[in-house]
Amino acid sequence: MLTLTSGAVQVIRTVTANPELPPETGIRIASGVNGSQTLSLSVAPAPEAGDEIVEEEGARVYLEPGAAELLQDKTLDAQVDPQGDVAFTIGDSPGTPA
């Protein structure tokens, strides 16, 4: 299952903390079409049917089934640069064989 770093948890909680958004708002990761390993990330008000839900310390990530398969042994991290732009990165989970 996808794991979240503390940086990812902080960024996701900040992005989804808008009081005008539903309380179950999270980040949704979807895979590309036709088996592509391209991933897209968006803010989602709730999971879609079939999504896997990863929740840690109030940060919610909804994984479309194809994305869940691609990311099953990965870690999601996030950083904010000095201009306020967010960059999400995906890496191997600690303890994953190389």
Side-chain angles (χ1 to χ4, degrees):
M1 179 184 292
L2 179 71
T3 58
L4 308 178
T5 67
S6 60
V9 168
Q10 280 187 304
V11 169
I12 293 167
R13 286 173 39 187
T14 299
V15 168
T16 61
N18 184 332
E20 295 179 17
L21 296 173
E24 59 275 354
T25 297
I27 299 294
R28 185 168 193 268
I29 302 175
S31 62
V33 293
N34 300 326
S36 167
Q37 290 196 2
T38 303
L39 298 170
S40 64
L41 187 141
S42 60
V43 175
E48 293 186 16
D51 282 357
E52 182 177 305
I53 301 168
V54 177
E55 186 169 359
E56 190 168 321
E57 298 177 33
R60 291 177 198 83
V61 177
Y62 305 128
L63 300 170
E64 174 269 335
E69 185 176 328
L70 285 171
L71 301 174
Q72 65 185 347
D73 59 351
K74 303 295 183 191
T75 297
L76 181 67
D77 192 13
Q79 308 256 334
V80 180
D81 69 18
Q83 290 77 35
D85 295 323
V86 175
F88 285 93
T89 55
I90 296 170
D92 289 330
S93 291
T96 301

